[in-house]
Amino acid sequence: MMRMPSTAMEDVGPLLILAPSGRDAKTAAELLGRRDIDCRVMADFATLRTAVDSGTGAVLVAAEALARPALGALVEVLSAQPPWSDLPFIVLTRGGIAGRTAVAELGLPQVLGNAVFLERPLNALSLIGAVRSALRARLRQRQLRAHLLGREADAMAARASEAHWRGLFDRMHEGFALCKVLHDAKGRAVDYCLVEINPAFERLTGVPRAAAVGRTAQEVWPGMAPPWLDVCAGVVESGQPARHLDGTARPGHWFELHVYRPEPGHFAVLVLDVTERRQTEERQILLTQEVDHRAKNVLAVVQAALRLTPKDDPGAYAQAIEGRVAALARAHTLLAEEHWTGADLRALLRHELAAFINGAPVGPHVALEGQDLMLPPTKAQPLAMALHELTTNAAKYGALSLPGGQLVVHWHLEAGHRLRLRWAECGGPPVAGPPLRSGFGSRVLAGTVRGQLRGDVALDWQPSGLVCDMDVPLTGPLGADC
């Protein structure tokens, strides 16, 4: 994982942490400290209020610590910030509707302004990303302030520092633009002129410098209202910095804008491309919904296993249930390791057949033959259940029950989206033919492949051993019982 340079961390100031209940403060401080982030845990709100100053990098605070009257006191601190300062907050909230309701009732987005809200339980990657983003924005605030102050220096000092600031301006990863607001005869803001932009602004917006500097926003973006005009004109009028999220300046991109008034009639805007963050947030929402959906499916499968497994032998009953639940758990673990983007089919088979692949030298021989294939998350758990039933049958009655048995699992993709998998056994006990009645394992196998996966399964009870062919679509909807 990439780390911010230590010099940047020293420049940006400490992260103040206030989470008076539980272990959130200690956990966050330890986690962030390992990433070379200067963290200082505050004992209570009074300590936090005293510690906040222009040298603070950001504040990580639990929402419950901001209840009134503490919130009113914090408003006084924020209102005393210098014009360039927009102190970033990362607020830890309770999950679900209750947490969002509490945030809304306190009006925290409006009161804090520059705030990101993270729901508990904390996700390490989300926390680290949010803190680094906040500290990076804080660092850029100070760099921008220093740059604008440099413009007011005398001519000799300006000439001496021009090369330094121009280099910083050109090397910034964030886009920067200095603009002048244009008014109509009645004094209403109707457009703005781009006075200066940096290379990052060109790259992020797709607007070349030659087509932007000295032109109005209506000329740069013809056919659309000047982007950000209302927000930026408000900053010029009030002198108060603002933060704005915009998805109109360039199709398919989202920008976070930090707007300041460097001088009367002008505004400076720092542009950060947050498209990836926006997409990540959307994926997290979808992922949460998917995890909830899959969890309900797992419970439904477990209920079916409990209901249909024969109960006349308590020991066998417990063993069967334990095996089927373990198969689902193994698939769940693989999905979690890949952040629920999918599960590797070979890894799924190796986990299920681990006792025979990693066992003693003398024993059944297992061969896995196929291309690297990532199963969609909606297909992984049902397929894991099907493979578990085949493994259980082979271990009890088939090729995996004898030392000389052999199992070959071969798979490939057809037409780019259909999984063809063959499970072929030989060397086990002789097979007289299909069983006289269909057991629970066979019903689970058929129900899973046909009902859940909308595929097809064929069992061929050859004298040398069972051959099972599966045809599973990897795209499209699941069955009704999924």
Side-chain angles (χ1 to χ4, degrees), residues 142-298:
R142 294 200 175 93
Q143 291 175 330
L144 180 59
R145 171 179 176 267
H147 177 66
L148 297 177
L149 288 176
R151 293 173 59 89
E152 300 173 2
D154 59 80
M156 183 178 296
R159 286 194 299 270
S161 63
E162 176 64 23
H164 169 74
W165 290 117
R166 173 56 63 179
L168 174 63
F169 186 72
D170 291 343
R171 292 193 301 270
M172 287 173 62
H173 293 292
E174 292 75 20
F176 177 85
L178 179 65
C179 306
K180 179 181 180 180
V181 177
L182 304 178
H183 301 83
D184 62 11
K186 296 182 179 180
R188 294 175 300 189
V190 294
D191 205 345
Y192 58 87
C193 176
L194 285 86
V195 177
E196 182 63 281
I197 65 173
N198 71 343
F201 187 92
E202 297 182 70
R203 184 180 68 254
L204 294 177
T205 63
V207 177
R209 187 177 188 278
V213 174
R215 299 178 182 270
T216 66
Q218 292 183 357
E219 293 173 327
V220 176
W221 291 281
M224 63 181 293
W228 326 320
L229 176 61
D230 292 341
V231 174
C232 298
V235 170
V236 171
E237 181 178 349
S238 67
Q240 296 299 313
R243 178 172 167 267
H244 178 64
L245 189 65
D246 180 85
T248 63
R250 186 177 184 184
H253 290 259
W254 283 90
F255 298 113
E256 185 176 270
L257 313 176
H258 296 263
V259 189
Y260 310 87
R261 185 182 71 182
E263 55 188 273
H266 291 73
F267 66 86
V269 56
L270 195 68
V271 183
L272 291 79
D273 189 338
V274 295
T275 304
E276 184 176 350
R277 189 185 78 189
R278 180 82 174 186
Q279 292 171 343
T280 299
E281 292 171 351
E282 293 174 350
R283 285 196 298 268
Q284 287 176 337
I285 293 173
L286 292 175
L287 179 59
T288 300
Q289 295 171 345
E290 176 62 24
V291 170
D292 178 66
H293 177 68
R294 298 313 306 171
K296 291 176 181 177
N297 292 342
V298 171

Side-chain angles (χ1 to χ4, degrees), residues 26-40:
K26 181 178 180 181
T27 301
E30 292 176 351
L31 176 66
L32 298 170
R34 290 196 293 269
R35 270 70 179 181
D36 296 331
I37 296 175
D38 182 10
C39 301
R40 301 180 187 178

Side-chain angles (χ1 to χ4, degrees), residues 135-480:
L135 294 177
R136 190 179 297 113
R138 188 63 164 169
L139 177 61
R140 295 309 184 196
Q141 290 178 24
R142 294 200 175 93
Q143 291 175 330
L144 180 59
R145 171 179 176 267
H147 177 66
L148 297 177
L149 288 176
R151 293 173 59 89
E152 300 173 2
D154 59 80
M156 183 178 296
R159 286 194 299 270
S161 63
E162 176 64 23
H164 169 74
W165 290 117
R166 173 56 63 179
L168 174 63
F169 186 72
D170 291 343
R171 292 193 301 270
M172 287 173 62
H173 293 292
E174 292 75 20
F176 177 85
L178 179 65
C179 306
K180 179 181 180 180
V181 177
L182 304 178
H183 301 83
D184 62 11
K186 296 182 179 180
R188 294 175 300 189
V190 294
D191 205 345
Y192 58 87
C193 176
L194 285 86
V195 177
E196 182 63 281
I197 65 173
N198 71 343
F201 187 92
E202 297 182 70
R203 184 180 68 254
L204 294 177
T205 63
V207 177
R209 187 177 188 278
V213 174
R215 299 178 182 270
T216 66
Q218 292 183 357
E219 293 173 327
V220 176
W221 291 281
M224 63 181 293
W228 326 320
L229 176 61
D230 292 341
V231 174
C232 298
V235 170
V236 171
E237 181 178 349
S238 67
Q240 296 299 313
R243 178 172 167 267
H244 178 64
L245 189 65
D246 180 85
T248 63
R250 186 177 184 184
H253 290 259
W254 283 90
F255 298 113
E256 185 176 270
L257 313 176
H258 296 263
V259 189
Y260 310 87
R261 185 182 71 182
E263 55 188 273
H266 291 73
F267 66 86
V269 56
L270 195 68
V271 183
L272 291 79
D273 189 338
V274 295
T275 304
E276 184 176 350
R277 189 185 78 189
R278 180 82 174 186
Q279 292 171 343
T280 299
E281 292 171 351
E282 293 174 350
R283 285 196 298 268
Q284 287 176 337
I285 293 173
L286 292 175
L287 179 59
T288 300
Q289 295 171 345
E290 176 62 24
V291 170
D292 178 66
H293 177 68
R294 298 313 306 171
K296 291 176 181 177
N297 292 342
V298 171
L299 292 176
V301 174
V302 172
Q303 284 180 323
L306 290 169
R307 184 174 63 254
L308 297 177
T309 303
K311 304 176 180 62
D312 51 340
D313 184 343
Y317 174 79
Q319 185 177 13
I321 292 300
E322 181 179 350
R324 285 158 186 152
V325 173
L328 294 173
R330 287 190 290 271
H332 186 96
T333 298
L334 289 176
L335 288 169
E337 290 174 351
E338 296 294 337
H339 305 289
W340 284 82
T341 58
D344 181 68
L345 176 57
R346 190 185 306 276
L348 200 65
L349 284 161
R350 291 187 67 86
H351 277 68
E352 190 60 46
L353 296 164
F356 306 98
I357 294 177
N358 303 323
V362 179
H365 176 72
V366 177
L368 305 180
E369 302 174 352
Q371 65 194 91
D372 292 339
L373 178 60
M374 188 66 71
L375 298 170
T378 55
K379 308 288 184 178
Q381 286 184 318
L383 191 58
M385 179 63 77
L387 295 173
H388 173 73
E389 297 307 323
L390 288 171
T391 302
T392 301
N393 181 77
K396 287 184 176 180
Y397 314 111
L400 300 181
S401 66
L402 295 179
Q406 295 184 9
L407 168 63
V408 177
V409 184
H410 177 82
W411 66 90
H412 65 278
L413 278 181
E414 283 191 1
H417 69 279
R418 297 194 71 87
L419 169 64
R420 297 279 191 173
L421 184 145
R422 166 164 285 198
W423 175 287
E425 303 179 25
C426 66
V431 177
L436 298 178
R437 64 183 182 85
S438 178
F440 175 66
S442 298
R443 295 197 299 274
V444 169
L445 180 61
T448 300
V449 177
R450 295 194 181 103
Q452 291 185 291
L453 296 172
R454 292 192 181 277
D456 195 17
V457 59
L459 299 176
D460 184 5
W461 302 91
Q462 298 182 7
S464 58
L466 171 65
V467 176
C468 174
D469 285 300
M470 296 186 198
D471 177 8
V472 177
L474 298 184
T475 59
L478 294 178

Side-chain angles (χ1 to χ4, degrees), residues 103-104 106-115 117:
V103 169
L106 290 171
L108 294 184
Q110 295 77 22
V111 172
L112 300 180
N114 188 5
F117 297 88

